Amino acid sequence: ASPSGLEWGADGYIYWAQRGKLHRIPASGGEPETLNRDGSQRLAFPTLLPGGRTLLCSRPLVSTKPVSMVAYDLASGAVKDLGVAGSNPHYLPSGHVLFALQSKAFVAPFDLETLAFTGPSVPVLPRLWVDQDEMQLAVSRTGTVAYLPAAPGGRLHELVAVTLDGKVEPLL
């Protein structure tokens, strides 16, 4: 099965989810470790929060419960429901979380100390391609976002670089 999310953490580990379980491996190599072994919480799309103690994750759709976001404590394995529907969360250095909901992207303020959203979510990146609750994007540690736009009519995508003056150049 293909992984649900992949995160190269600042703590020297690479994190991913597969079949609802969280895994990590040292970036320098070694044996993979399963984090949520009991399987009571199916999790996906891990992203390491600053401080290296907590992963933001998605809890996939389960029967009547919608997809939601949770905080996974790496030391204890405790899972805190963040009370906000959404998937594929990414923490931004501005103190916000970028996430997908119903094929759209949203951003909301987030407090790292209390692990809680502190304000309403706002739609962003209206052209972003969201596929099965996964945003087609990457976020740098400085907050720069690179993303694939949704193509109308099923057209194929092309990877390009756009200069600050608007010039578009194919990369491949």
Side-chain angles (χ1 to χ4, degrees):
S2 59
S4 300
L6 188 64
E7 165 83 356
W8 194 313
D11 64 351
Y13 285 93
I14 298 171
Y15 295 89
W16 74 96
Q18 195 168 22
R19 294 186 174 138
K21 300 225 180 193
L22 295 175
H23 305 276
R24 73 178 176 185
I25 189 169
S28 59
E31 290 298 314
E33 173 187 5
T34 301
L35 300 174
N36 58 334
R37 292 183 182 278
D38 68 0
S40 63
Q41 298 278 347
R42 293 187 52 81
L43 301 174
F45 303 116
T47 185
L48 187 67
L49 289 175
R53 297 183 318 262
T54 307
L55 293 171
L56 277 185
C57 302
S58 302
R59 184 172 22 213
L61 177 71
V62 179
S63 65
T64 59
K65 292 183 178 181
V67 63
S68 61
M69 291 177 285
V70 299
Y72 178 86
D73 185 288
L74 286 166
S76 70
V79 176
K80 176 184 178 183
D81 189 327
L82 300 176
V84 174
S87 178
N88 197 198
H90 293 267
Y91 182 78
L92 304 175
S94 63
H96 294 80
V97 171
L98 173 65
F99 61 93
L101 180 62
Q102 298 175 346
S103 298
K104 294 184 178 151
F106 291 84
V107 68
F110 188 79
D111 186 306
L112 285 174
E113 294 301 315
T114 62
L115 297 176
F117 286 96
T118 59
S121 58
V122 177
V124 294
L125 303 171
R127 295 180 51 228
L128 173 68
W129 180 15
V130 179
D131 184 20
Q132 298 180 15
D133 295 325
E134 182 176 6
M135 298 180 292
Q136 304 302 309
L137 61 73
V139 179
S140 77
R141 284 189 173 77
T142 62
T144 299
V145 177
Y147 66 92
L148 282 176
R155 291 190 341 238
L156 294 177
H157 296 281
E158 181 181 11
L159 188 59
V160 298
V162 181
T163 64
L164 292 176
D165 62 357
K167 184 178 177 187
V168 177
E169 299 176 7
L171 290 176
L172 300 176

XYZ file of all heavy atoms in Angstrom, residues 11 15-17 20-24 33-59 68-82 89 110 115:
420
model
N 13.848 16.666 13.431
C 14.434 15.883 14.515
C 15.305 14.729 14.013
O 15.787 13.917 14.805
C 13.329 15.343 15.426
C 12.395 14.376 14.722
O 12.470 14.238 13.479
O 11.565 13.746 15.412
N 9.015 10.467 8.754
C 7.737 9.947 9.231
C 6.821 9.659 8.050
O 6.838 10.375 7.060
C 7.038 10.976 10.131
C 7.782 11.269 11.403
C 8.748 12.270 11.459
C 7.524 10.544 12.552
C 9.439 12.533 12.627
C 8.212 10.798 13.729
C 9.162 11.790 13.756
O 9.852 12.041 14.917
N 5.980 8.628 8.185
C 4.949 8.349 7.192
C 3.857 7.522 7.839
O 4.025 6.977 8.929
C 5.534 7.645 5.967
C 5.900 6.200 6.153
C 5.133 5.102 5.840
C 7.121 5.677 6.691
N 5.809 3.950 6.143
C 7.031 4.276 6.663
C 8.285 6.261 7.188
C 8.049 3.448 7.124
C 9.300 5.443 7.648
C 9.179 4.056 7.613
N 2.729 7.450 7.168
C 1.624 6.604 7.614
C 1.329 5.601 6.509
O 1.448 5.913 5.322
C 0.389 7.437 7.923
N -3.042 3.200 8.137
C -3.509 3.713 9.420
C -2.476 3.743 10.523
O -2.734 4.251 11.610
N -1.295 3.207 10.279
C -0.248 3.193 11.301
C 0.819 4.230 10.973
O 1.177 4.426 9.817
C 0.399 1.823 11.381
C -0.592 0.749 11.736
C -0.051 -0.142 12.773
C -1.141 -1.173 13.021
N -1.007 -1.943 14.111
N 1.340 4.877 12.025
C 2.431 5.836 11.886
C 3.760 5.101 12.012
O 3.917 4.230 12.866
C 2.353 6.904 12.982
C 1.150 7.825 12.955
C 1.178 8.734 14.179
C 1.126 8.634 11.681
N 4.716 5.498 11.171
C 6.043 4.897 11.191
C 7.091 6.008 11.145
O 6.816 7.113 10.688
C 6.246 3.988 9.972
C 5.204 2.944 9.820
N 5.247 1.745 10.473
C 4.063 2.924 9.076
C 4.191 1.015 10.140
N 3.461 1.712 9.295
N 8.303 5.661 11.582
C 9.433 6.565 11.413
C 10.698 5.735 11.262
O 10.754 4.576 11.702
C 9.554 7.547 12.570
C 10.042 6.967 13.866
C 10.173 8.047 14.925
N 10.554 7.466 16.206
C 10.653 8.146 17.322
N 10.401 9.446 17.319
N 11.012 7.558 18.432
N 10.362 2.060 12.674
C 9.658 1.856 13.944
C 8.192 2.215 13.756
O 7.871 3.250 13.175
C 10.292 2.779 14.991
C 9.599 2.825 16.313
C 10.192 3.882 17.246
O 11.087 4.645 16.836
O 9.726 3.945 18.387
N 7.289 1.349 14.226
C 5.861 1.644 14.198
C 5.512 2.359 15.491
O 5.830 1.883 16.577
C 5.026 0.356 14.054
O 5.418 -0.300 12.852
C 3.545 0.676 14.000
N 4.845 3.515 15.377
C 4.562 4.335 16.558
C 3.247 3.960 17.240
O 3.201 3.793 18.437
C 4.569 5.817 16.166
C 5.894 6.320 15.599
C 5.756 7.748 15.098
C 7.004 6.209 16.633
N 2.167 3.866 16.499
C 0.866 3.553 17.094
C 0.549 2.079 16.861
O -0.314 1.706 16.090
C -0.238 4.465 16.548
C -0.375 4.391 15.036
O 0.579 4.070 14.334
N -1.556 4.683 14.538
N 1.247 1.227 17.597
C 1.187 -0.218 17.392
C -0.175 -0.840 17.651
O -0.549 -1.807 17.004
C 2.206 -0.915 18.286
C 3.628 -0.649 17.905
C 4.574 -1.450 18.802
N 5.941 -1.174 18.466
C 6.595 -1.748 17.478
N 5.986 -2.623 16.725
N 7.849 -1.436 17.234
N -0.929 -0.314 18.605
C -2.184 -0.972 18.966
C -3.259 -0.852 17.877
O -4.202 -1.619 17.857
C -2.712 -0.458 20.304
C -3.168 0.987 20.272
O -3.082 1.633 19.209
O -3.612 1.479 21.322
N -3.116 0.111 16.968
C -4.048 0.233 15.853
C -5.417 0.777 16.225
O -6.320 0.791 15.397
N -5.584 1.226 17.474
C -6.899 1.742 17.886
C -7.210 3.075 17.213
O -8.370 3.444 17.088
C -6.966 1.892 19.408
O -6.014 2.852 19.842
N -6.189 3.803 16.797
C -6.368 5.080 16.113
C -5.751 4.965 14.727
O -4.541 4.830 14.599
C -5.667 6.214 16.879
C -6.192 6.447 18.258
C -7.439 7.298 18.250
O -7.791 7.919 17.265
N -8.120 7.335 19.370
N -6.563 4.999 13.687
C -6.047 5.008 12.319
C -5.648 6.441 11.987
O -6.474 7.339 12.057
C -7.094 4.488 11.340
C -7.402 3.017 11.550
C -8.319 2.469 10.479
N -7.870 2.734 9.116
C -6.947 2.029 8.456
N -6.362 1.018 9.043
N -6.606 2.341 7.213
N -4.373 6.649 11.625
C -3.874 7.996 11.380
C -3.190 8.077 10.018
O -2.727 7.077 9.486
C -2.899 8.404 12.482
C -3.477 8.381 13.903
C -2.390 8.649 14.928
C -4.608 9.359 14.047
N -3.143 9.304 9.458
C -2.534 9.532 8.148
C -1.922 10.922 8.110
O -2.203 11.769 8.952
C -3.588 9.395 7.051
N -1.097 11.184 7.109
C -0.500 12.485 6.813
C 0.183 13.138 8.020
O -0.159 14.247 8.419
C -1.547 13.436 6.239
C -2.226 12.913 5.011
C -3.578 12.639 5.005
C -1.501 12.694 3.849
C -4.209 12.148 3.870
C -2.126 12.211 2.709
C -3.477 11.936 2.713
N 1.199 12.480 8.609
C 1.882 13.091 9.755
C 2.759 14.269 9.341
O 3.384 14.259 8.287
C 2.744 11.943 10.290
C 3.021 11.109 9.076
C 1.774 11.198 8.228
N 2.785 15.290 10.182
C 3.708 16.417 10.016
C 4.214 16.807 11.405
O 3.430 16.958 12.337
C 3.038 17.597 9.277
O 3.998 18.610 9.034
C 1.874 18.169 10.026
N 5.525 16.902 11.542
C 6.141 17.176 12.836
C 6.031 18.654 13.181
O 6.402 19.519 12.384
C 7.612 16.756 12.808
C 8.367 16.831 14.125
C 7.825 15.801 15.119
C 9.860 16.590 13.878
N 5.529 18.932 14.382
C 5.436 20.311 14.856
C 6.791 20.780 15.387
O 7.606 19.959 15.820
C 4.385 20.422 15.963
C 2.936 20.274 15.520
C 2.007 20.276 16.729
C 2.553 21.371 14.555
N 7.039 22.095 15.371
C 8.274 22.618 15.972
C 8.405 22.128 17.419
O 7.415 22.005 18.140
C 8.071 24.134 15.918
C 7.163 24.348 14.767
C 6.222 23.160 14.787
N 9.613 21.813 17.809
C 9.855 21.265 19.141
C 10.043 19.760 19.101
O 10.600 19.170 20.023
N 9.555 19.109 18.037
C 9.783 17.687 17.837
C 9.088 16.746 18.791
O 9.462 15.582 18.898
N 8.051 17.203 19.490
C 7.352 16.343 20.447
C 6.027 15.810 19.931
O 5.481 14.854 20.483
C 7.099 17.111 21.744
C 8.353 17.545 22.465
C 8.037 18.244 23.780
N 6.932 19.174 23.692
C 7.030 20.495 23.544
N 8.216 21.053 23.468
N 5.967 21.253 23.483
N 5.487 16.448 18.886
C 4.122 16.144 18.459
C 4.014 16.085 16.947
O 4.616 16.889 16.243
C 3.157 17.240 18.977
O 3.344 17.396 20.387
C 1.710 16.884 18.712
N 3.217 15.140 16.468
C 2.858 15.063 15.057
C 1.427 15.535 14.880
O 0.542 15.130 15.642
C 2.945 13.618 14.539
C 4.308 12.973 14.458
C 4.157 11.483 14.138
C 5.167 13.648 13.415
N 1.192 16.402 13.912
C -0.181 16.683 13.477
C -0.517 15.599 12.471
O 0.309 15.271 11.610
C -0.270 18.030 12.770
C -0.408 19.288 13.599
C -0.593 20.485 12.672
C -1.543 19.205 14.570
N -1.718 15.050 12.555
C -2.131 13.974 11.658
C -3.601 14.136 11.298
O -4.325 14.914 11.917
C -1.976 12.611 12.332
S -0.325 12.204 12.895
N -4.013 13.347 10.330
C -5.423 13.228 9.985
C -5.931 11.912 10.546
O -5.205 10.918 10.574
C -5.621 13.178 8.467
O -5.098 14.313 7.854
N -7.182 11.934 10.967
C -7.867 10.688 11.320
C -8.874 10.463 10.202
O -9.813 11.245 10.058
C -8.540 10.791 12.674
C -9.173 9.489 13.084
C -9.702 9.424 14.492
N -9.986 10.694 15.094
C -9.843 10.954 16.393
N -9.405 10.033 17.197
N -10.133 12.129 16.880
N -10.891 14.132 10.416
C -10.571 15.185 11.381
C -9.068 15.220 11.623
O -8.338 14.336 11.208
C -11.306 14.944 12.699
O -10.911 13.706 13.269
N -8.626 16.255 12.317
C -7.207 16.412 12.622
C -6.959 16.133 14.099
O -7.790 16.452 14.947
C -6.749 17.815 12.246
C -6.747 18.034 10.750
S -6.297 19.703 10.271
C -7.800 20.584 10.685
N -5.795 15.535 14.370
C -5.416 15.170 15.728
C -3.953 15.527 15.956
O -3.197 15.733 15.009
C -5.630 13.655 16.003
C -7.083 13.269 15.837
C -4.734 12.811 15.124
N -3.565 15.578 17.232
C -2.174 15.739 17.632
C -1.741 14.424 18.273
O -2.410 13.919 19.169
C -2.027 16.892 18.620
N -0.629 13.867 17.795
C -0.103 12.608 18.311
C 1.162 12.898 19.109
O 2.139 13.413 18.575
C 0.208 11.640 17.159
C 0.800 10.330 17.611
C -0.023 9.276 17.987
C 2.177 10.155 17.684
C 0.514 8.079 18.413
C 2.727 8.955 18.115
C 1.886 7.924 18.476
O 2.421 6.727 18.914
N 1.156 12.596 20.414
C 2.294 12.822 21.291
C 3.304 11.693 21.092
O 2.987 10.531 21.343
C 1.823 12.879 22.744
C 2.940 13.240 23.696
O 3.829 12.385 23.921
O 2.944 14.367 24.211
N 4.507 12.039 20.632
C 5.515 11.026 20.332
C 6.006 10.291 21.574
O 6.381 9.124 21.503
C 6.701 11.662 19.604
C 6.427 12.034 18.148
C 7.513 12.956 17.607
C 6.313 10.787 17.297
N 6.010 10.930 22.731
C 6.506 10.291 23.950
C 5.493 9.314 24.532
O 5.838 8.187 24.896
C 6.870 11.350 24.985
N 4.229 9.736 24.612
C 3.225 8.907 25.277
C 2.338 8.110 24.331
O 1.688 7.153 24.743
C 2.325 9.795 26.146
O 1.506 10.615 25.315
N 2.269 8.536 23.068
C 1.350 7.890 22.128
C -0.078 8.381 22.261
O -0.974 7.888 21.584
N -0.302 9.381 23.118
C -1.653 9.916 23.304
C -2.092 10.676 22.052
O -1.290 11.345 21.402
C -1.694 10.840 24.515
N -3.373 10.571 21.751
C -3.955 11.248 20.597
C -4.971 12.262 21.100
O -5.889 11.913 21.834
C -4.629 10.246 19.642
C -5.315 10.959 18.489
C -3.614 9.243 19.122
N -4.789 13.529 20.706
C -5.714 14.598 21.090
C -6.501 15.022 19.858
O -5.927 15.450 18.861
C -4.947 15.799 21.645
C -5.832 16.978 21.982
C -5.038 18.191 22.431
C -5.965 19.363 22.717
N -5.236 20.563 23.080
N -7.819 14.903 19.933
C -8.676 15.371 18.840
C -8.677 16.889 18.870
O -8.929 17.500 19.897
C -10.094 14.841 19.019
C -10.964 15.100 17.804
O -10.785 16.128 17.127
O -11.846 14.269 17.535
N -8.384 17.523 17.733
C -8.296 18.980 17.678
C -9.638 19.651 17.425
O -9.719 20.876 17.383
C -7.270 19.400 16.624
C -5.861 18.881 16.898
C -4.918 19.266 15.761
C -5.337 19.385 18.227
N -2.839 18.011 7.384
C -2.412 19.282 7.980
C -0.925 19.566 7.790
O -0.096 18.657 7.793
C -2.731 19.089 9.463
C -2.626 17.616 9.673
C -3.100 16.983 8.390
N -3.140 28.514 14.967
C -2.926 27.344 15.822
C -1.914 27.682 16.900
O -0.871 28.292 16.638
C -2.400 26.179 14.964
C -2.323 24.875 15.681
C -3.455 24.111 15.885
C -1.097 24.396 16.134
C -3.375 22.884 16.535
C -1.010 23.179 16.781
C -2.149 22.416 16.982
N -1.835 23.188 21.739
C -2.214 22.295 20.647
C -3.705 22.460 20.332
O -4.488 21.518 20.367
C -1.894 20.838 20.984
C -0.423 20.514 21.200
C -0.247 19.063 21.623
C 0.401 20.808 19.955
